[in-house]
Amino acid sequence: MSRRPATSTINGMHDHVDHETRHSAGDALCTHRHVPAYAALVLEGGYVEASADGPVECTPGTLVLHPRYHAHGNRFGRRGARVANLALPAGTEPAVLQVLRVPDRAEAGEVFLRGAQHLHALILASNGARSMSLQGWQVEFLHDLQYNDEPIARIARRAGVSDEHASRMFLRTHGMSPQSLRRELRGRQALSLLAGEASLADIAARSGFADQSHLTRSVRAMTGLPPGRLRRQINCVQDAEPAPMR
C-alpha cells in the first residue's frame, strides 16, 4: 500500500509535503504538481521521476530538490520505495530541479529528521548525479516544441519519428504528451520571467504564448494564481531575508 503526499490536486496540485512516503512495488503516481519547493531523499527502494526536466533515476541516497510548482510523475521499482520529504524554507528554493547524491544515506536521513533548516550542509556535501540520457531525436524535438508553433506531427516528421511514437516516448520519459509538455515548458519560462521586470505582454511573447490572456490562463492553471498576483508573491519572497540553513 502506498502512502501518497497529502495535497490540495496536470492530475492535481499538492500544497503540503509529508515527512515520509512509502510506495509499493510497481506503484505509479500520475503527473501531479507540488506547490511548495521541497527536498526528497530516497531511503529505500527506487523509482524513476518523469517531468519536463526528463527522466531521473532515484536510487537510495538520491537527493532531489524540486522548485515550486514542479510537475512530475513517478514509477516505482520492484522493491517499492521509502522517501523522506521536506518543504524548503522561503529564500532557499531552487530555481530549477537539482539531483544530487548524498555521501551517507543514514546520516542524510537523520538530517531530514532534524528539519529543513539543517539541509544546507548536506546539500553542499552532496555530489551531482548523472542524468538519464534521452534519444537523440528527443533533444531536437524538445527545442522545437518550446520555441516554435508548428504542429506536433510536423515536428515529429522532421525528427524522423511518427507523432504516435513521439507521444509514447514522451509520456514515458517526461510523464506528459508533447502538447502538455509544450504548455509546461512555456509556462516554466513565463514563471522564470515573472521574477524580472518585463511586462506581462512581453513575457507572453517571449514564452511563446499567443497573447497575455493565453499566458494568464496557463499560469493560473499551473499555480492557481494569475500572473500579476504571482509576481507580487515572488517579489515578496525575493525581498525577504533567506531563512538560515544550519
Side-chain angles (χ1 to χ4, degrees):
M1 178 75 67
S2 67
R3 185 161 67 85
R4 303 186 179 191
T7 64
S8 75
T9 180
I10 302 189
N11 254 14
M13 194 177 294
H14 298 241
D15 61 4
H16 177 72
V17 179
D18 280 343
H19 172 68
E20 185 177 293
T21 53
R22 295 174 184 265
H23 304 270
S24 300
D27 205 356
L29 295 179
C30 294
T31 302
H32 54 284
R33 193 182 305 280
H34 289 264
V35 173
Y38 75 102
L41 172 67
V42 184
L43 301 171
E44 299 174 2
Y47 58 95
V48 172
E49 179 169 295
S51 74
D53 299 285
V56 175
E57 186 173 14
C58 299
T59 57
T62 301
L63 174 63
V64 186
L65 306 179
H66 300 85
R68 292 190 71 185
Y69 304 114
H70 193 263
H72 55 262
N74 308 85
R75 300 191 309 274
F76 297 90
R78 62 184 181 182
R79 295 180 54 208
R82 184 165 69 93
V83 185
N85 305 285
L86 279 177
L88 295 172
T92 66
E93 304 165 348
V96 297
L97 187 76
Q98 297 180 33
V99 185
L100 306 170
R101 293 289 302 175
V102 300
D104 185 306
R105 194 194 333 159
E107 183 178 323
E110 291 299 317
V111 172
F112 268 65
L113 286 174
R114 293 198 298 270
Q117 68 272 24
H118 299 280
L119 277 175
H120 185 59
L122 175 63
I123 292 170
L124 290 178
S126 299
N127 297 312
R130 191 187 327 183
S131 60
M132 297 177 70
S133 60
L134 299 175
Q135 295 189 19
W137 65 267
Q138 287 182 287
V139 177
E140 177 187 350
F141 193 107
L142 284 167
H143 180 274
D144 288 348
L145 198 63
Q146 181 169 2
Y147 294 107
N148 74 54
D149 292 317
E150 289 183 313
I152 302 297
R154 184 179 301 170
I155 296 174
R157 283 197 301 273
R158 187 164 56 249
V161 298
S162 68
D163 53 343
E164 293 87 357
H165 179 71
S167 183
R168 286 194 301 270
M169 285 299 297
F170 281 109
L171 280 169
R172 181 157 188 82
T173 59
H174 292 69
M176 306 175 206
S177 68
Q179 192 60 49
S180 295
L181 190 52
R182 170 178 270 169
R183 287 194 296 268
E184 186 71 15
L185 290 169
R186 292 180 176 184
R188 284 189 180 193
Q189 173 76 357
L191 292 184
S192 68
L193 292 172
L194 282 172
E197 298 181 354
S199 69
L200 295 183
D202 187 37
I203 290 173
R206 290 166 63 183
S207 302
F209 293 104
D211 51 35
Q212 188 173 324
S213 296
H214 189 195
L215 167 71
T216 297
R217 290 194 300 272
S218 294
V219 169
R220 190 189 291 273
M222 289 181 71
T223 69
L225 298 172
R229 184 175 170 189
L230 183 62
R231 165 172 268 172
R232 290 192 293 273
Q233 186 180 95
I234 291 170
N235 288 338
C236 286
V237 171
Q238 289 178 336
D239 291 342
E241 285 291 325
M245 305 262 309
R246 297 186 294 274

